[in-house]
Amino acid sequence: MTDKVWLDLYPDEIPTMIEYEKIPVHEFLTRAAKVSPEKTAIHFMGKELTYKEFYESSLKFANYLKSIGIEKGDRVAIMLPNCPQSAIAFFGVLYSGAIVVQTNPLYTERELKYQMVNSGAKAIVGLDLLYPRINAIVKDTSLEHVIITGIKDYLPFPKNLIYPFIQKRENGLSVKVEHRGMYHLFTEIMKISKPELMKTTFDFDEDIALLQYTGGTTGLPKGVMLTHENLVSNTAMCEHWLYETKRGEEVVLGMLPFFHVYGMTTVLVLSVMMYQKMILMPKPDMDLALKIIEKQKPTLFPGAPTMYIGLLNHPKIEKYDLSSIKACISGSATLPIDVKDRFESVTGGKLVEGYGLTETSPVTHANFVWKGSAYNESGSIGVPWPNTDAKIVGPDGTDALPVGEVGEIAIKGPQVMKGYWEMPEETASTFRDGWLLTGDLGRMDEKGRFYVVDRKKDMIIASGFNIYPREVEEVLYEHDAIVECVVAGVPDAYRGETVKAYIVLKEGAQVTEEDLDKYCRKHLAAFKVPRLYEFREELPKTAVGKILRRSLVDEEKEKLKQSEQQLQDV
């Protein structure tokens, strides 16, 4: 244990240690349906579901999974944007005793196949638009069941009739799936008349609730095993941190996707724990967000910096009333101070930066929402949450460094993952004496506030998405014209970082940036595709031939610095 000097900063309203309930995640929905059955749980494009309807729909889904052979511990993938079906499926999978595998709808066939094979998923719930992609990889995986749904399934009349025509016009296809064999329709599942509550026993601190995939610059994405205790404890910490909010009275804007662990915890699970109304958005859309905020009046808006930047830069922002927003905790990337100040000025609410990892369910640190400069420091990620310990360690990964020295951030707490799915060596290398090594370099000041200095690894965070250079590089290396390449994250005013590829072509080969862009979009999700390309005669390397990625990043920072200096000199 450390001295936890940050506890001196804690206001009286936040306990330094909390007691959280030792119940599985889905029990929060059972309780919400009993306490507030008629309260609106989900608002989606004009359609609303009460907590009773949400609960019964989740039980129907769980019953159906059982009927097709899904057993406790089986993995069920959810490949959906934020919509009622994604919430219903999440809790339905948990009720059945199975494990949720959150899957990004932007994944290409290549990425989807890897995740399905690695997780050993037996079933997947996907959007109708994704059916061709899912169907193409089924034969190469352990998938036995494919459950298909569409956005129109939960749209109110007459939007549900109009939407298929819009979808066909925008996407150029109309998908029809029959409810037979291994293929199932979500709408048919919801026709079950009397769903029954599962009688499944759960080991609170051992049973896995979620496989959330992450990765690094070495190796392929890893399945982070998050237990019921991990998710319940972190959500309870979040509720205590937002101590001015009240159960049953808040409205949460769900722009963060549920397939991102931050959105899943701070929007989906927290809302259900607190009996709150969730407003779900299938994708970030600033025009729609402004209209929703003015009309639905959300009070809580967890998000990523790009979301706040997008709203602030909207040309019509002054025409909308955003004053309902009380609090926002920003995660996934560094929050620029200017963005924080402008957003608070526009909304009158509070926006603070937090910090966490997929491996920590995800939040470990945050600034105090309703306290000022006496508690918070500009540029800091804040202090550890209740029940959470943190320290800065040296190269050995164990000994704590003195105040102010830069080292690796290490975390210990009930929200820390069980380990990586079927990767014991990776798991062992990530822990030291029970402490999770984050891979992020940081420092701690004399009051216990933490600061992220740099990433130990070279993972790129663009618009809140984790992007792993090696994955992009492997795709580029498969191109006939490329002999060498390296991918790095470079500073970007909007995305935080953006993906840049440095390319060395084979002798006599010719290829353009446009050619590479088209090529990458066939093999990578859109957010992973390089936005910048630079063709070089050679790449910087060590004496043993290892490409010096960091030196390229340093070059970009120097270019940015010189550019800013030139602007100041004008």
Side-chain angles (χ1 to χ4, degrees):
M1 297 288 287
T2 64
D3 292 336
K4 293 189 175 183
V5 294
W6 55 82
L7 295 182
D8 292 337
L9 286 173
Y10 267 47
D12 294 338
E13 295 90 343
I14 301 177
T16 58
M17 293 289 290
I18 64 171
E19 292 291 332
Y20 49 87
E21 297 175 277
K22 292 178 171 51
I23 58 175
V25 175
H26 49 276
E27 282 302 308
F28 291 126
L29 180 55
T30 306
R31 178 188 299 168
K34 290 179 180 178
V35 173
S36 303
E38 301 308 317
K39 179 176 176 57
T40 299
I42 297 171
H43 177 98
F44 179 70
M45 311 292 281
K47 173 78 171 181
E48 292 191 338
L49 271 69
T50 65
Y51 268 101
K52 179 182 178 182
E53 292 169 327
F54 183 10
Y55 169 69
E56 290 181 348
S57 296
S58 297
L59 286 189
K60 289 178 183 180
F61 195 79
N63 288 177
Y64 194 81
L65 290 179
K66 283 289 188 182
S67 75
I68 60 175
I70 300 300
E71 300 177 349
K72 183 180 178 182
D74 286 342
R75 278 75 64 204
V76 178
I78 301 174
M79 192 177 187
L80 295 170
N82 285 9
C83 58
Q85 302 95 304
S86 58
I88 291 167
F90 177 84
F91 280 94
V93 172
L94 295 182
Y95 275 121
S96 76
I99 298 169
V100 173
V101 180
Q102 289 285 16
T103 304
N104 191 330
L106 296 176
Y107 276 172
T108 63
E109 290 178 15
R110 175 195 188 112
E111 296 159 325
L112 176 60
K113 177 183 172 181
Y114 168 78
Q115 191 177 27
M116 293 304 98
V117 170
N118 183 261
S119 67
K122 287 180 66 175
I124 185 170
V125 191
L127 207 60
D128 50 7
L129 284 174
L130 306 176
Y131 170 73
R133 205 180 310 164
I134 295 170
N135 193 45
I137 59 97
V138 164
K139 65 182 184 301
D140 298 318
T141 71
S142 56
L143 288 170
E144 298 175 7
H145 302 281
V146 177
I147 301 169
I148 296 297
T149 187
I151 293 294
K152 66 176 177 56
D153 294 344
Y154 279 83
L155 290 179
F157 178 84
K159 289 181 181 178
N160 61 335
L161 298 180
I162 299 170
Y163 186 80
F165 295 99
I166 297 173
Q167 179 173 282
K168 186 174 182 180
R169 185 185 69 210
E170 292 182 350
N171 298 285
L173 77 161
S174 179
V175 178
K176 290 185 179 180
V177 182
E178 292 187 9
H179 191 78
R180 65 177 184 175
M182 71 179 296
Y183 297 96
H184 315 264
L185 294 176
F186 198 94
T187 50
E188 293 297 313
I189 296 172
M190 291 300 109
K191 290 178 181 178
I192 296 174
S193 57
K194 293 183 179 180
E196 297 179 1
L197 180 61
M198 306 276 115
K199 289 188 177 180
T200 306
T201 58
F202 290 88
D203 189 330
F204 178 66
D205 58 352
E206 285 296 324
D207 280 352
I208 303 165
L210 174 71
L211 277 188
Q212 187 76 41
Y213 276 77
T214 185
T217 55
T218 59
L220 292 163
K222 301 182 287 289
V224 175
M225 297 186 288
L226 298 178
T227 66
H228 286 273
E229 181 179 25
N230 292 154
L231 299 180
V232 168
S233 64
N234 202 229
T235 309
M237 293 172 196
C238 188
E239 182 182 12
H240 281 283
W241 207 256
L242 296 169
Y243 56 83
E244 286 195 10
T245 59
K246 299 178 181 178
R247 286 197 171 204
E249 296 184 15
E250 309 301 334
V251 179
V252 185
L253 182 59
M255 192 187 299
L256 279 170
F258 294 161
F259 57 80
H260 191 294
V261 68
Y262 184 39
M264 189 213 60
T265 300
T266 62
V267 178
L268 180 56
V269 181
L270 180 64
S271 293
V272 174
M273 175 189 275
M274 297 179 67
Y275 327 139
Q276 316 292 30
K277 175 181 176 180
M278 286 178 277
I279 306 167
L280 302 187
M281 294 181 61
K283 63 180 180 179
D285 180 329
M286 299 311 152
D287 285 317
L288 180 59
L290 288 172
K291 294 173 183 176
I292 286 176
I293 294 171
E294 181 170 74
K295 187 173 182 180
Q296 295 296 325
K297 302 192 181 307
T299 56
L300 303 179
F301 177 15
T306 51
M307 294 177 181
Y308 306 120
I309 293 169
L311 286 176
L312 290 172
N313 291 336
H314 193 282
K316 297 182 180 179
I317 187 172
E318 295 180 357
K319 295 183 178 181
Y320 292 90
D321 178 9
L322 310 183
S323 62
S324 65
I325 296 173
K326 291 181 184 177
C328 309
I329 296 180
S330 177
S332 298
T334 301
L335 176 69
I337 296 171
D338 178 62
V339 173
K340 166 185 165 62
D341 294 342
R342 287 170 59 203
F343 193 83
E344 290 184 340
S345 175
V346 168
T347 64
K350 298 296 182 181
L351 171 59
V352 298
E353 183 171 359
Y355 169 81
L357 310 164
T358 304
E359 289 88 343
T360 56
S361 308
V363 187
T364 63
H365 295 64
N367 285 279
F368 297 103
V369 180
W370 288 289
K371 297 296 179 180
S373 58
Y375 293 80
N376 299 327
E377 183 70 25
S378 293
S380 170
I381 58 171
V383 302
W385 273 12
N387 300 52
T388 305
D389 204 355
K391 62 181 179 179
I392 304 296
V393 298
D396 64 352
T398 55
D399 295 334
L401 297 177
V403 168
E405 287 197 20
V406 173
E408 187 171 1
I409 301 173
I411 306 291
K412 181 183 285 187
Q415 73 271 55
V416 174
M417 69 170 182
K418 185 176 182 178
Y420 296 117
W421 178 257
E422 297 186 342
M423 292 185 176
E425 292 181 1
E426 290 274 6
T427 300
S429 67
T430 305
F431 286 92
R432 291 288 188 283
D433 299 332
W435 290 81
L436 175 78
L437 301 179
T438 66
D440 285 330
L441 298 175
R443 61 182 177 84
M444 185 185 78
D445 68 19
E446 67 282 355
K447 291 187 176 182
R449 293 176 294 224
F450 283 72
Y451 304 77
V452 174
V453 176
D454 204 346
R455 295 185 188 87
K456 184 178 181 181
K457 299 175 182 178
D458 294 312
M459 182 178 73
I460 302 164
I461 300 181
S463 299
F465 287 107
N466 292 352
I467 302 167
Y468 311 110
R470 179 175 171 178
E471 192 176 7
V472 182
E473 289 164 4
E474 285 178 350
V475 170
L476 288 169
Y477 268 115
E478 290 176 8
H479 194 286
D480 293 339
I482 295 174
V483 64
E484 282 188 332
C485 69
V486 65
V487 169
V490 298
D492 182 272
Y494 178 68
R495 301 179 81 206
E497 285 185 316
T498 199
V499 184
K500 181 170 182 177
Y502 300 83
I503 306 292
V504 177
L505 296 177
K506 294 177 181 177
E507 188 174 353
Q510 291 185 339
V511 67
T512 67
E513 293 183 19
E514 290 76 17
D515 293 333
L516 291 178
D517 183 72
K518 289 178 182 178
Y519 169 78
C520 286
R521 289 184 185 279
K522 291 181 181 179
H523 302 286
L524 293 165
F527 64 88
K528 299 178 182 178
V529 174
R531 300 293 181 91
L532 300 170
Y533 294 88
E534 182 174 328
F535 295 94
R536 293 191 168 209
E537 293 294 323
E538 59 182 10
L539 298 173
K541 299 174 184 175
T542 64
V544 295
K546 181 179 179 180
I547 297 173
L548 292 169
R549 189 194 320 269
R550 181 53 51 188
S551 70
L552 294 170
V553 174
D554 291 341
E555 284 181 25
E556 295 293 338
K557 290 180 178 178
E558 184 60 30
K559 289 177 187 175
L560 181 63
K561 183 179 178 181
Q562 291 177 3
S563 178
E564 290 174 344
Q565 184 61 49
Q566 289 173 356
L567 288 174
Q568 291 176 3
D569 294 340
V570 174

